[in-house]
Amino acid sequence: MFLFITADHFRLFLDGTGKPFTEFMDALLRATAATLGIPARDVHTNLRTNLSDGGIDTQIDSGSDANCKGYLAGPTLWQFKARRFADVTPASVRDDIHGASKKDARDLIARGYAYRLCICEDAAPPDKKALQDELNKYVKEVNASAPPALILLPSDLAALANQYPSIVARYVRLPVEKFRWYETWKRSAIGETPLFVPTEHYPDWAARVESHLDWSRKPTDVALTLYGNAGVGKTRAVFEILDREPNQRELVLYTNDEQAAIEIATALTNNGTQSAILVADECLSRARFQLSGILRGNEHRVRLITIDNALERTRTLEPELHIRGATEQETLKVLEANFDSVPLDRRIRYTQIANGSLRFAVYMCRHDSEIQETGDLSSALRDAHSYYESRFSSLFGFDTKDREALEIVALVDRVGYRDDRAGELDALCGLVGRDPRDTRERIERIRK
C-alpha cells in the first residue's frame, strides 16, 4: 500500500537549485530525530540554498546511538549536494572544509561534531570510499580527534527514507489516495480559520498528546483517543499540537476514513520497519479497538491518535481525552481573530446560537452576508435545525432527496456503504423503504 523511494527517484532533485533535495533531507532528518528522541530545538535547518551557509546546511546538536546506522550517534553537521557524484571532486570537498566561507563548519568540527556529506547520485563503492577518505583527511586537519565523517548517497538515503511513508509519499510525486501527510492535511485543517486561538484547556490537551508521542518511552497504549461533540475543534486541536512539533509532524499520516485507517495500520504492522503517527479522524470505538489490536506491539515505531464524535462511551477506553466545546468567550475570541469584518453584535449572536459548536459559529460568520440578506437572523438561523436546513438547501446544490439520504444514515452512529461493508447501507435502506443505490450515490455527492 505504501510507496517506496529508490536511488533513481533522486534524479528528481537534480533541478539546478538544490532546494528540493534540501527540503527532502531536512524532512528526513527531522523525522529520524523524532523517532530517536532528539528534541526539535536541537535540529537547525537552513533553506537558504542561494546564500552562503558557512558550510552547514543542517546542524543537529545532540544524537542517539539507537539504530540509524550511526548517522546521528552524536552531534552532526550536514552538507547537501544536489549534484552528480562526478561533480563533487576532492578539490570541492576540501573547499567545503577549508574554504574561507566555511568557518562555521570548521568551528563545529573542532567542537566534535561529525561531518555528513549527502550527494544526490550513487557511485561505485570504491569511488565512494575514495572520496570519503579524502573528506576524513580534511576533517582530521581541523580536529585530529573528530568522529569519522560519512558520505551518504541515494542508496543510503533511500533505505533511511523508506522508514517514513509520509516523507516518501510527499517526494516521489505519485498520487496517494489512502492518507494525507502534514502539509496536505494543513490546507483543510486551517482553511476556515487560519488564525488559531487556543482555549483554556488546550495546554492540558497538548501535554497529553505530546506525552503520548514521546518516543523515548513506551506508552500505556499505542492509541490515544480524543472524543467530544462534532464541531468543537478536536481535529484542529490535534493539528495545532502537531504543528508546533516540527520533528513529529514529518511522521503524520492523516485519514478520516476508518477502512483506510485499518489498511494503513495493517501495512505498517506488516512492514515491520516503518515509523508513523497515524491520525484516524471520525473513528468510532469499534474501529479504534480494531486499530489498537492491529498496532499493538509496534509502539516503538507507530503511535495512533483517534478522533471520535461519539460522546457516549460504551466501554472504558484507556487512554482517552474529552474535548469540550469552547465557552462563549473563547468562541468570540476565535471569531474576532478570523472574522473581524463581521460586526461584533452579529458575532455575539452567532456564538449564542452555536452553543459551544465552534464549527457552527464559524459557518455563520463565513455566510454572514447571505444570512443578512434575509433581514431576520432570528428566524433564519434560530437553532441547529435551521442551520441544517439552510446548509442542505438548493443554494448549495442539494434537494429533498439528498436530505432524505443524509437523514437515513443519521439514524445510526456509523454505517458502511462501500466495498465489503456496502451491505450495511443496503440493510438500512431496506428497513426504511429507500433505494440503496440512489442513497449511496447521494451520500457520495454530499461527502465531496
Side-chain angles (χ1 to χ4, degrees):
M1 109 158 276
F2 292 128
L3 303 171
F4 292 92
I5 195 168
T6 67
D8 287 342
H9 284 110
F10 283 74
R11 297 174 183 173
L12 298 171
F13 300 137
L14 295 170
D15 70 336
T17 70
K19 186 175 180 180
F21 187 47
T22 298
E23 290 178 339
F24 169 82
M25 286 304 308
D26 283 342
L28 177 57
L29 290 174
R30 285 199 174 278
T32 305
T35 59
L36 294 177
I38 297 173
R41 64 178 178 273
D42 286 354
V43 181
H44 311 282
T45 59
N46 174 21
L47 288 177
R48 300 179 304 160
T49 53
N50 295 322
L51 301 176
S52 176
D53 56 19
I56 307 167
D57 282 318
T58 291
Q59 171 183 333
I60 303 179
D61 294 332
S62 61
S64 169
D65 56 5
N67 203 342
C68 198
K69 297 184 177 181
Y71 299 158
L72 288 168
T76 50
L77 68 146
W78 296 73
Q79 183 71 203
F80 312 137
K81 300 290 186 183
R83 304 178 193 170
R84 300 192 180 280
F85 185 85
D87 296 333
V88 184
T89 64
S92 67
V93 169
R94 184 186 187 284
D95 185 66
D96 283 335
I97 305 299
H98 289 299
S101 65
K102 310 302 181 181
K103 182 178 182 301
D104 291 345
R106 290 194 294 276
D107 287 346
L108 291 184
I109 293 170
R111 289 166 52 189
Y113 281 62
Y115 196 96
R116 304 288 182 254
L117 175 60
C118 302
I119 305 173
C120 206
E121 186 182 56
D122 263 341
D127 295 334
K128 175 185 176 182
K129 182 180 183 303
L131 190 62
Q132 186 168 280
D133 289 344
E134 289 291 308
L135 173 61
N136 273 286
K137 181 178 74 173
Y138 301 133
V139 166
K140 295 294 185 182
E141 290 173 354
V142 176
N143 179 359
S145 60
L150 296 176
I151 290 178
L152 282 72
L153 302 182
S155 293
D156 308 306
L157 299 173
L160 183 59
N162 282 328
Q163 298 177 33
Y164 310 110
S166 60
I167 291 177
V168 174
R170 190 187 324 175
Y171 288 101
V172 298
R173 300 184 185 178
L174 292 174
V176 178
E177 297 179 354
K178 296 294 184 181
F179 63 85
R180 285 179 271 172
W181 55 88
Y182 162 77
E183 287 293 341
T184 51
W185 176 28
K186 180 178 182 178
R187 298 168 196 163
S188 61
I190 70 171
E192 293 190 335
T193 51
L195 299 178
F196 176 68
V197 180
T199 63
E200 176 187 359
H201 298 290
Y202 173 78
D204 296 332
W205 305 338
R208 286 285 301 278
V209 174
E210 289 167 2
S211 175
H212 179 64
L213 300 179
D214 181 357
W215 297 93
S216 67
R217 65 177 188 82
K218 182 179 179 180
T220 56
D221 193 285
V222 70
L224 172 66
T225 295
L226 283 73
Y227 73 95
N229 280 326
V232 298
K234 301 182 297 299
T235 301
R236 181 59 179 271
V238 172
F239 172 83
E240 292 294 336
I241 293 166
L242 291 167
D243 184 56
R244 70 183 195 178
E245 295 288 333
N247 289 359
Q248 303 279 23
R249 68 194 187 199
E250 298 295 347
L251 300 171
V252 168
L253 306 176
Y254 171 86
T255 181
N256 58 3
D257 184 314
E258 285 183 349
Q259 187 57 41
I262 291 169
E263 293 176 16
I264 293 168
T266 302
L268 288 169
T269 298
N270 287 340
N271 176 273
T273 63
Q274 294 175 316
S275 296
I277 298 171
L278 174 56
V279 180
D281 206 347
E282 300 184 22
C283 181
L284 293 182
S285 298
R286 181 178 61 178
R288 189 268 194 189
F289 282 120
Q290 189 172 353
L291 287 167
S292 293
I294 293 170
L295 293 171
R296 190 166 293 118
N298 294 284
E299 296 88 348
H300 60 291
R301 59 186 183 85
V302 181
R303 300 291 162 85
L304 170 65
I305 298 174
T306 67
I307 304 172
D308 186 350
N309 288 336
L311 272 180
E312 295 78 12
R313 315 313 291 165
T314 56
R315 300 174 62 180
T316 300
L317 296 179
E318 200 58 49
E320 63 180 15
L321 184 58
H322 185 191
I323 305 299
R324 292 174 171 80
T327 65
E328 285 193 4
Q329 288 302 314
E330 290 170 337
T331 302
L332 278 172
K333 288 180 180 178
V334 175
L335 300 186
E336 179 182 9
N338 292 277
F339 302 99
D340 58 350
S341 62
V342 176
L344 176 60
D345 62 325
R346 297 211 290 271
R347 295 200 303 264
I348 292 174
R349 181 65 178 132
Y350 296 157
T351 297
Q352 293 170 340
I353 294 170
N355 192 30
S357 174
L358 189 55
R359 184 188 300 166
F360 188 13
V362 167
Y363 168 85
M364 287 185 281
C365 281
R366 286 177 58 85
H367 296 275
D368 176 67
S369 60
E370 300 163 26
I371 292 171
Q372 293 313 303
E373 288 178 5
T374 67
D376 184 359
L377 173 61
S378 61
S379 62
L381 284 168
R382 180 170 292 140
D383 53 25
H385 184 263
S386 299
Y387 163 66
Y388 162 66
E389 288 190 336
S390 69
R391 188 67 181 85
F392 286 89
S393 65
S394 59
L395 180 66
F396 294 94
F398 298 115
D399 58 26
T400 302
K401 293 294 185 181
D402 292 319
R403 288 179 54 184
E404 289 179 358
L406 184 65
E407 288 165 0
I408 289 171
V409 298
L411 292 171
V412 292
D413 279 342
R414 187 64 55 93
V415 61
Y417 68 99
R418 292 181 297 184
D419 303 326
D420 60 342
R421 299 176 64 186
E424 296 179 18
L425 180 63
D426 293 345
L428 182 60
C429 288
L431 291 173
V432 296
R434 292 291 189 272
D435 178 6
R437 180 177 178 180
D438 179 68
T439 301
R440 185 173 291 105
E441 291 175 352
R442 292 178 183 276
I443 292 299
E444 286 283 10
R445 188 162 65 86
I446 292 170
R447 279 175 57 89
K448 295 176 181 178

